[in-house]
Amino acid sequence: MAITLVNPSGLPEIGAYRQVSVATGSKLVFVAGQVAWDAAGATVGEGDLAAQVEQAYVNVGTALAAVGGTFDDVAKLTVYVVDWTPEKMPAFLEGVDRAATRLGTTPGAPGTLVGVAALDVPEHLVEVEATAVLDA
């Protein structure tokens, strides 16, 4: 495996992710921001943050699988959430948990969550982009 996830001593442990990832592979994969579109381009879970998070993570998983990767190969995630407030965290984590169940893995790479005013279309509540490292 090309990615090792670490929680260094002296930094807080965050349940949803690790603070550091160490990449030893040689093939970088950059996944464009994924939103809650199904394969036909229809929005999944309009108005439902958990459903949209689930679909966006599953879409990242689909993109990774297409190039021979999985969430175990993710070195860094960036998540953009429309009108973010801390009260949205339970719905966000529910979506991540549901995606993890569907994907058969637990996303744990370092991540950054950014609150934004809007995304590409009004019904999208979340966008997830990933950087992964694969063994060549």
Side-chain angles (χ1 to χ4, degrees), residues 30-90:
F30 300 93
V31 178
Q34 297 298 306
V35 294
W37 276 330
D38 64 14
T43 298
V44 172
E46 190 168 339
D48 183 342
L49 180 60
Q52 289 202 16
V53 168
E54 176 183 4
Q55 185 65 45
Y57 271 71
V58 167
N59 289 350
V60 169
T62 299
L64 291 168
V67 296
T70 70
F71 261 94
D72 291 336
D73 301 306
V74 172
K76 175 76 167 61
L77 288 171
T78 303
V79 180
Y80 304 92
V81 180
V82 173
D83 296 325
W84 176 258
T85 64
E87 291 77 24
K88 293 182 179 184
M89 185 60 83

Short mmCIF file of all heavy atoms in Angstrom, two decimals, residues 30-90:
data_model
loop_
_atom_site.label_atom_id
_atom_site.label_comp_id
_atom_site.label_asym_id
_atom_site.label_seq_id
_atom_site.Cartn_x
_atom_site.Cartn_y
_atom_site.Cartn_z
N PHE A 30 -5.32 12.60 -9.18
CA PHE A 30 -6.06 13.78 -8.73
C PHE A 30 -7.50 13.62 -9.20
O PHE A 30 -7.76 13.61 -10.40
CB PHE A 30 -5.44 15.06 -9.31
CG PHE A 30 -4.01 15.25 -8.90
CD1 PHE A 30 -2.98 14.79 -9.70
CD2 PHE A 30 -3.69 15.86 -7.71
CE1 PHE A 30 -1.66 14.95 -9.33
CE2 PHE A 30 -2.37 16.03 -7.32
CZ PHE A 30 -1.35 15.57 -8.13
N VAL A 31 -8.43 13.49 -8.25
CA VAL A 31 -9.84 13.32 -8.58
C VAL A 31 -10.52 14.68 -8.50
O VAL A 31 -10.48 15.34 -7.46
CB VAL A 31 -10.51 12.32 -7.62
CG1 VAL A 31 -11.99 12.18 -7.95
CG2 VAL A 31 -9.82 10.96 -7.69
N ALA A 32 -11.14 15.06 -9.60
CA ALA A 32 -11.88 16.32 -9.63
C ALA A 32 -12.97 16.32 -8.57
O ALA A 32 -13.43 15.26 -8.13
CB ALA A 32 -12.52 16.51 -11.01
N GLY A 33 -13.35 17.50 -8.15
CA GLY A 33 -14.41 17.61 -7.15
C GLY A 33 -15.65 16.85 -7.58
O GLY A 33 -16.15 17.06 -8.70
N GLN A 34 -16.12 15.97 -6.71
CA GLN A 34 -17.31 15.16 -7.00
C GLN A 34 -18.48 15.69 -6.20
O GLN A 34 -18.36 15.97 -5.01
CB GLN A 34 -17.05 13.69 -6.66
CG GLN A 34 -15.94 13.07 -7.49
CD GLN A 34 -16.28 13.05 -8.96
OE1 GLN A 34 -17.33 12.55 -9.38
NE2 GLN A 34 -15.40 13.62 -9.78
N VAL A 35 -19.61 15.80 -6.87
CA VAL A 35 -20.85 16.26 -6.24
C VAL A 35 -21.83 15.10 -6.21
O VAL A 35 -21.50 13.98 -6.59
CB VAL A 35 -21.42 17.49 -6.99
CG1 VAL A 35 -20.49 18.69 -6.85
CG2 VAL A 35 -21.67 17.16 -8.46
N ALA A 36 -23.06 15.37 -5.80
CA ALA A 36 -24.06 14.32 -5.63
C ALA A 36 -24.82 14.03 -6.92
O ALA A 36 -26.04 14.00 -6.96
CB ALA A 36 -25.02 14.70 -4.51
N TRP A 37 -24.09 13.78 -7.99
CA TRP A 37 -24.71 13.36 -9.25
C TRP A 37 -24.63 11.85 -9.34
O TRP A 37 -23.61 11.25 -8.98
CB TRP A 37 -23.97 13.94 -10.44
CG TRP A 37 -24.38 15.32 -10.83
CD1 TRP A 37 -25.61 15.91 -10.67
CD2 TRP A 37 -23.56 16.29 -11.46
NE1 TRP A 37 -25.59 17.19 -11.16
CE2 TRP A 37 -24.35 17.45 -11.67
CE3 TRP A 37 -22.25 16.31 -11.89
CZ2 TRP A 37 -23.86 18.59 -12.27
CZ3 TRP A 37 -21.76 17.45 -12.50
CH2 TRP A 37 -22.56 18.58 -12.69
N ASP A 38 -25.68 11.24 -9.88
CA ASP A 38 -25.60 9.82 -10.20
C ASP A 38 -24.96 9.69 -11.58
O ASP A 38 -24.57 10.70 -12.19
CB ASP A 38 -26.98 9.15 -10.09
CG ASP A 38 -27.99 9.67 -11.10
OD1 ASP A 38 -27.62 10.37 -12.08
OD2 ASP A 38 -29.19 9.37 -10.91
N ALA A 39 -24.85 8.47 -12.09
CA ALA A 39 -24.17 8.23 -13.36
C ALA A 39 -24.85 8.94 -14.54
O ALA A 39 -24.20 9.26 -15.54
CB ALA A 39 -24.08 6.73 -13.64
N ALA A 40 -26.14 9.23 -14.41
CA ALA A 40 -26.87 9.92 -15.47
C ALA A 40 -26.82 11.44 -15.33
O ALA A 40 -27.37 12.17 -16.15
CB ALA A 40 -28.32 9.45 -15.48
N GLY A 41 -26.18 11.94 -14.27
CA GLY A 41 -26.08 13.38 -14.07
C GLY A 41 -27.23 13.98 -13.29
O GLY A 41 -27.35 15.21 -13.23
N ALA A 42 -28.07 13.16 -12.68
CA ALA A 42 -29.17 13.66 -11.85
C ALA A 42 -28.68 13.83 -10.41
O ALA A 42 -27.91 13.00 -9.90
CB ALA A 42 -30.34 12.68 -11.87
N THR A 43 -29.11 14.90 -9.76
CA THR A 43 -28.72 15.14 -8.37
C THR A 43 -29.41 14.15 -7.45
O THR A 43 -30.61 13.95 -7.52
CB THR A 43 -29.07 16.58 -7.95
OG1 THR A 43 -28.33 17.48 -8.78
CG2 THR A 43 -28.73 16.84 -6.49
N VAL A 44 -28.62 13.54 -6.57
CA VAL A 44 -29.12 12.61 -5.56
C VAL A 44 -29.29 13.38 -4.25
O VAL A 44 -28.40 14.14 -3.86
CB VAL A 44 -28.11 11.45 -5.36
CG1 VAL A 44 -28.51 10.57 -4.18
CG2 VAL A 44 -27.95 10.64 -6.64
N GLY A 45 -30.41 13.20 -3.58
CA GLY A 45 -30.60 13.76 -2.24
C GLY A 45 -30.74 15.26 -2.19
O GLY A 45 -30.17 15.90 -1.30
N GLU A 46 -31.51 15.84 -3.09
CA GLU A 46 -31.68 17.29 -3.07
C GLU A 46 -32.17 17.75 -1.70
O GLU A 46 -33.15 17.22 -1.17
CB GLU A 46 -32.65 17.73 -4.16
CG GLU A 46 -32.68 19.23 -4.34
CD GLU A 46 -33.41 19.67 -5.60
OE1 GLU A 46 -33.56 18.86 -6.53
OE2 GLU A 46 -33.80 20.84 -5.63
N GLY A 47 -31.44 18.68 -1.07
CA GLY A 47 -31.79 19.21 0.24
C GLY A 47 -31.36 18.34 1.41
O GLY A 47 -31.61 18.69 2.55
N ASP A 48 -30.69 17.21 1.15
CA ASP A 48 -30.31 16.25 2.18
C ASP A 48 -28.78 16.13 2.21
O ASP A 48 -28.19 15.44 1.38
CB ASP A 48 -30.95 14.90 1.85
CG ASP A 48 -30.68 13.82 2.89
OD1 ASP A 48 -29.73 13.96 3.70
OD2 ASP A 48 -31.41 12.81 2.86
N LEU A 49 -28.16 16.81 3.17
CA LEU A 49 -26.70 16.84 3.23
C LEU A 49 -26.11 15.45 3.36
O LEU A 49 -25.15 15.11 2.66
CB LEU A 49 -26.21 17.73 4.39
CG LEU A 49 -24.69 17.83 4.55
CD1 LEU A 49 -24.03 18.41 3.31
CD2 LEU A 49 -24.34 18.65 5.79
N ALA A 50 -26.65 14.61 4.23
CA ALA A 50 -26.10 13.26 4.42
C ALA A 50 -26.13 12.46 3.12
O ALA A 50 -25.15 11.81 2.75
CB ALA A 50 -26.85 12.51 5.53
N ALA A 51 -27.24 12.52 2.40
CA ALA A 51 -27.36 11.79 1.14
C ALA A 51 -26.37 12.32 0.10
O ALA A 51 -25.78 11.54 -0.66
CB ALA A 51 -28.79 11.88 0.61
N GLN A 52 -26.18 13.63 0.08
CA GLN A 52 -25.25 14.21 -0.90
C GLN A 52 -23.81 13.88 -0.55
O GLN A 52 -23.00 13.62 -1.44
CB GLN A 52 -25.48 15.71 -1.03
CG GLN A 52 -26.79 16.02 -1.74
CD GLN A 52 -26.82 17.40 -2.34
OE1 GLN A 52 -25.80 18.06 -2.52
NE2 GLN A 52 -28.01 17.85 -2.69
N VAL A 53 -23.46 13.90 0.73
CA VAL A 53 -22.11 13.52 1.14
C VAL A 53 -21.86 12.07 0.74
O VAL A 53 -20.82 11.74 0.16
CB VAL A 53 -21.91 13.71 2.67
CG1 VAL A 53 -20.64 13.05 3.15
CG2 VAL A 53 -21.92 15.20 3.02
N GLU A 54 -22.82 11.20 1.03
CA GLU A 54 -22.69 9.79 0.67
C GLU A 54 -22.42 9.64 -0.83
O GLU A 54 -21.48 8.95 -1.24
CB GLU A 54 -23.96 9.03 1.06
CG GLU A 54 -23.96 7.58 0.65
CD GLU A 54 -25.26 6.87 0.98
OE1 GLU A 54 -26.22 7.51 1.47
OE2 GLU A 54 -25.32 5.65 0.74
N GLN A 55 -23.23 10.28 -1.66
CA GLN A 55 -23.07 10.15 -3.11
C GLN A 55 -21.75 10.72 -3.59
O GLN A 55 -21.08 10.13 -4.43
CB GLN A 55 -24.24 10.81 -3.85
CG GLN A 55 -24.20 10.59 -5.35
CD GLN A 55 -24.37 9.14 -5.73
OE1 GLN A 55 -25.24 8.45 -5.20
NE2 GLN A 55 -23.55 8.65 -6.64
N ALA A 56 -21.34 11.86 -3.05
CA ALA A 56 -20.07 12.47 -3.47
C ALA A 56 -18.89 11.56 -3.13
O ALA A 56 -17.99 11.36 -3.94
CB ALA A 56 -19.90 13.85 -2.83
N TYR A 57 -18.89 10.98 -1.93
CA TYR A 57 -17.83 10.04 -1.54
C TYR A 57 -17.86 8.80 -2.41
O TYR A 57 -16.80 8.29 -2.82
CB TYR A 57 -17.94 9.67 -0.06
CG TYR A 57 -17.20 10.59 0.88
CD1 TYR A 57 -17.64 11.88 1.13
CD2 TYR A 57 -16.05 10.16 1.54
CE1 TYR A 57 -16.97 12.72 2.01
CE2 TYR A 57 -15.38 11.00 2.41
CZ TYR A 57 -15.84 12.28 2.64
OH TYR A 57 -15.17 13.11 3.51
N VAL A 58 -19.04 8.28 -2.69
CA VAL A 58 -19.15 7.10 -3.56
C VAL A 58 -18.61 7.45 -4.95
O VAL A 58 -17.92 6.64 -5.58
CB VAL A 58 -20.60 6.58 -3.61
CG1 VAL A 58 -20.80 5.58 -4.74
CG2 VAL A 58 -20.97 5.95 -2.27
N ASN A 59 -18.89 8.65 -5.43
CA ASN A 59 -18.37 9.06 -6.73
C ASN A 59 -16.84 9.13 -6.73
O ASN A 59 -16.19 8.75 -7.70
CB ASN A 59 -18.97 10.40 -7.16
CG ASN A 59 -20.43 10.28 -7.53
OD1 ASN A 59 -20.98 9.19 -7.66
ND2 ASN A 59 -21.10 11.42 -7.68
N VAL A 60 -16.26 9.62 -5.62
CA VAL A 60 -14.80 9.60 -5.51
C VAL A 60 -14.31 8.15 -5.57
O VAL A 60 -13.35 7.84 -6.27
CB VAL A 60 -14.31 10.29 -4.21
CG1 VAL A 60 -12.83 10.03 -3.97
CG2 VAL A 60 -14.59 11.78 -4.26
N GLY A 61 -14.98 7.26 -4.85
CA GLY A 61 -14.61 5.85 -4.88
C GLY A 61 -14.70 5.26 -6.27
O GLY A 61 -13.83 4.48 -6.69
N THR A 62 -15.72 5.64 -7.02
CA THR A 62 -15.89 5.16 -8.41
C THR A 62 -14.74 5.66 -9.28
O THR A 62 -14.19 4.91 -10.09
CB THR A 62 -17.24 5.63 -8.97
OG1 THR A 62 -18.28 5.08 -8.16
CG2 THR A 62 -17.43 5.21 -10.41
N ALA A 63 -14.39 6.93 -9.12
CA ALA A 63 -13.28 7.50 -9.90
C ALA A 63 -11.97 6.79 -9.58
O ALA A 63 -11.19 6.46 -10.48
CB ALA A 63 -13.16 9.00 -9.63
N LEU A 64 -11.73 6.54 -8.30
CA LEU A 64 -10.50 5.85 -7.90
C LEU A 64 -10.47 4.43 -8.46
O LEU A 64 -9.43 3.97 -8.95
CB LEU A 64 -10.37 5.83 -6.38
CG LEU A 64 -10.10 7.17 -5.72
CD1 LEU A 64 -10.29 7.08 -4.21
CD2 LEU A 64 -8.70 7.67 -6.06
N ALA A 65 -11.59 3.72 -8.37
CA ALA A 65 -11.65 2.35 -8.87
C ALA A 65 -11.33 2.29 -10.37
O ALA A 65 -10.70 1.33 -10.84
CB ALA A 65 -13.02 1.74 -8.59
N ALA A 66 -11.72 3.32 -11.11
CA ALA A 66 -11.48 3.35 -12.55
C ALA A 66 -9.99 3.37 -12.90
O ALA A 66 -9.61 2.98 -14.01
CB ALA A 66 -12.18 4.55 -13.18
N VAL A 67 -9.16 3.81 -11.95
CA VAL A 67 -7.71 3.84 -12.21
C VAL A 67 -6.95 2.86 -11.31
O VAL A 67 -5.75 2.97 -11.13
CB VAL A 67 -7.14 5.27 -12.06
CG1 VAL A 67 -7.74 6.19 -13.12
CG2 VAL A 67 -7.35 5.83 -10.66
N GLY A 68 -7.69 1.91 -10.72
CA GLY A 68 -7.06 0.88 -9.91
C GLY A 68 -6.83 1.25 -8.46
O GLY A 68 -6.03 0.61 -7.77
N GLY A 69 -7.53 2.26 -7.95
CA GLY A 69 -7.34 2.70 -6.57
C GLY A 69 -8.57 2.52 -5.72
O GLY A 69 -9.64 2.14 -6.21
N THR A 70 -8.41 2.80 -4.42
CA THR A 70 -9.51 2.78 -3.45
C THR A 70 -9.28 3.94 -2.48
O THR A 70 -8.26 4.64 -2.56
CB THR A 70 -9.54 1.47 -2.63
OG1 THR A 70 -8.41 1.46 -1.74
CG2 THR A 70 -9.53 0.24 -3.52
N PHE A 71 -10.18 4.09 -1.52
CA PHE A 71 -9.99 5.12 -0.51
C PHE A 71 -8.74 4.86 0.34
O PHE A 71 -8.21 5.78 0.94
CB PHE A 71 -11.22 5.24 0.39
CG PHE A 71 -12.12 6.39 -0.01
CD1 PHE A 71 -13.18 6.19 -0.85
CD2 PHE A 71 -11.87 7.67 0.46
CE1 PHE A 71 -13.99 7.25 -1.24
CE2 PHE A 71 -12.66 8.73 0.09
CZ PHE A 71 -13.73 8.52 -0.77
N ASP A 72 -8.26 3.63 0.37
CA ASP A 72 -7.02 3.33 1.09
C ASP A 72 -5.81 4.03 0.46
O ASP A 72 -4.77 4.15 1.09
CB ASP A 72 -6.76 1.83 1.14
CG ASP A 72 -7.76 1.11 2.03
OD1 ASP A 72 -8.34 1.76 2.94
OD2 ASP A 72 -7.97 -0.10 1.82
N ASP A 73 -5.95 4.47 -0.79
CA ASP A 73 -4.87 5.14 -1.51
C ASP A 73 -4.94 6.66 -1.43
O ASP A 73 -4.09 7.36 -1.97
CB ASP A 73 -4.89 4.72 -2.98
CG ASP A 73 -4.73 3.22 -3.15
OD1 ASP A 73 -3.76 2.67 -2.61
OD2 ASP A 73 -5.60 2.60 -3.79
N VAL A 74 -5.97 7.19 -0.77
CA VAL A 74 -6.16 8.64 -0.70
C VAL A 74 -5.17 9.25 0.28
O VAL A 74 -5.08 8.83 1.44
CB VAL A 74 -7.61 9.00 -0.32
CG1 VAL A 74 -7.75 10.49 -0.06
CG2 VAL A 74 -8.56 8.54 -1.42
N ALA A 75 -4.44 10.24 -0.19
CA ALA A 75 -3.48 10.96 0.65
C ALA A 75 -4.11 12.21 1.26
O ALA A 75 -3.71 12.64 2.34
CB ALA A 75 -2.25 11.36 -0.18
N LYS A 76 -5.12 12.80 0.59
CA LYS A 76 -5.71 14.05 1.08
C LYS A 76 -7.08 14.24 0.45
O LYS A 76 -7.26 14.02 -0.74
CB LYS A 76 -4.80 15.23 0.69
CG LYS A 76 -5.33 16.62 1.03
CD LYS A 76 -5.20 16.91 2.49
CE LYS A 76 -5.40 18.35 2.88
NZ LYS A 76 -6.68 18.93 2.59
N LEU A 77 -8.04 14.63 1.28
CA LEU A 77 -9.38 15.00 0.83
C LEU A 77 -9.62 16.47 1.12
O LEU A 77 -9.19 16.98 2.16
CB LEU A 77 -10.46 14.21 1.57
CG LEU A 77 -10.63 12.73 1.24
CD1 LEU A 77 -11.60 12.09 2.23
CD2 LEU A 77 -11.13 12.56 -0.17
N THR A 78 -10.34 17.13 0.23
CA THR A 78 -10.83 18.47 0.49
C THR A 78 -12.33 18.44 0.24
O THR A 78 -12.78 17.97 -0.80
CB THR A 78 -10.15 19.53 -0.39
OG1 THR A 78 -8.74 19.45 -0.21
CG2 THR A 78 -10.62 20.93 -0.04
N VAL A 79 -13.08 18.91 1.23
CA VAL A 79 -14.54 18.88 1.17
C VAL A 79 -15.06 20.30 1.27
O VAL A 79 -14.68 21.05 2.19
CB VAL A 79 -15.13 18.01 2.30
CG1 VAL A 79 -16.64 17.98 2.23
CG2 VAL A 79 -14.54 16.61 2.28
N TYR A 80 -15.93 20.67 0.35
CA TYR A 80 -16.55 21.99 0.34
C TYR A 80 -18.03 21.81 0.68
O TYR A 80 -18.72 21.02 0.03
CB TYR A 80 -16.41 22.64 -1.03
CG TYR A 80 -14.97 22.73 -1.48
CD1 TYR A 80 -14.39 21.72 -2.25
CD2 TYR A 80 -14.18 23.81 -1.11
CE1 TYR A 80 -13.06 21.79 -2.64
CE2 TYR A 80 -12.85 23.89 -1.51
CZ TYR A 80 -12.30 22.88 -2.27
OH TYR A 80 -10.99 22.95 -2.65
N VAL A 81 -18.51 22.51 1.72
CA VAL A 81 -19.90 22.39 2.14
C VAL A 81 -20.55 23.78 2.09
O VAL A 81 -20.02 24.73 2.68
CB VAL A 81 -20.02 21.80 3.56
CG1 VAL A 81 -21.49 21.68 3.96
CG2 VAL A 81 -19.34 20.44 3.63
N VAL A 82 -21.69 23.85 1.43
CA VAL A 82 -22.42 25.11 1.30
C VAL A 82 -22.98 25.53 2.66
O VAL A 82 -23.55 24.71 3.39
CB VAL A 82 -23.55 24.97 0.27
CG1 VAL A 82 -24.43 26.22 0.25
CG2 VAL A 82 -22.97 24.69 -1.12
N ASP A 83 -22.77 26.79 3.01
CA ASP A 83 -23.31 27.38 4.24
C ASP A 83 -22.98 26.54 5.48
O ASP A 83 -23.83 26.28 6.33
CB ASP A 83 -24.84 27.59 4.15
CG ASP A 83 -25.21 28.58 3.07
OD1 ASP A 83 -24.45 29.54 2.86
OD2 ASP A 83 -26.26 28.40 2.42
N TRP A 84 -21.72 26.13 5.60
CA TRP A 84 -21.29 25.28 6.70
C TRP A 84 -21.51 25.93 8.06
O TRP A 84 -21.21 27.11 8.25
CB TRP A 84 -19.83 24.91 6.57
CG TRP A 84 -19.35 24.12 7.74
CD1 TRP A 84 -18.62 24.57 8.81
CD2 TRP A 84 -19.64 22.76 8.02
NE1 TRP A 84 -18.42 23.57 9.72
CE2 TRP A 84 -19.05 22.43 9.26
CE3 TRP A 84 -20.36 21.77 7.35
CZ2 TRP A 84 -19.13 21.17 9.83
CZ3 TRP A 84 -20.43 20.51 7.91
CH2 TRP A 84 -19.82 20.22 9.14
N THR A 85 -22.04 25.15 8.98
CA THR A 85 -22.08 25.49 10.41
C THR A 85 -21.78 24.21 11.17
O THR A 85 -22.02 23.10 10.66
CB THR A 85 -23.46 26.03 10.86
OG1 THR A 85 -24.44 25.00 10.70
CG2 THR A 85 -23.87 27.28 10.08
N PRO A 86 -21.26 24.31 12.38
CA PRO A 86 -20.97 23.10 13.16
C PRO A 86 -22.20 22.20 13.38
O PRO A 86 -22.05 20.99 13.55
CB PRO A 86 -20.44 23.65 14.48
CG PRO A 86 -19.87 24.99 14.14
CD PRO A 86 -20.78 25.52 13.07
N GLU A 87 -23.39 22.76 13.33
CA GLU A 87 -24.60 21.97 13.51
C GLU A 87 -24.80 20.97 12.38
O GLU A 87 -25.57 20.02 12.50
CB GLU A 87 -25.83 22.88 13.63
CG GLU A 87 -25.87 23.70 14.90
CD GLU A 87 -24.92 24.92 14.88
OE1 GLU A 87 -24.56 25.41 13.79
OE2 GLU A 87 -24.54 25.37 15.97
N LYS A 88 -24.11 21.15 11.27
CA LYS A 88 -24.23 20.24 10.13
C LYS A 88 -23.32 19.01 10.26
O LYS A 88 -23.42 18.08 9.46
CB LYS A 88 -23.93 20.98 8.82
CG LYS A 88 -24.98 22.03 8.50
CD LYS A 88 -24.71 22.71 7.18
CE LYS A 88 -25.81 23.72 6.89
NZ LYS A 88 -25.65 24.35 5.59
N MET A 89 -22.43 19.01 11.27
CA MET A 89 -21.48 17.91 11.40
C MET A 89 -22.15 16.54 11.52
O MET A 89 -21.70 15.59 10.88
CB MET A 89 -20.52 18.15 12.57
CG MET A 89 -19.43 17.10 12.69
SD MET A 89 -18.35 16.98 11.23
CE MET A 89 -17.20 18.29 11.59
N PRO A 90 -23.21 16.36 12.33
CA PRO A 90 -23.82 15.02 12.40
C PRO A 90 -24.30 14.51 11.04
O PRO A 90 -24.10 13.34 10.71
CB PRO A 90 -24.99 15.22 13.38
CG PRO A 90 -24.55 16.36 14.25
CD PRO A 90 -23.80 17.29 13.31
#
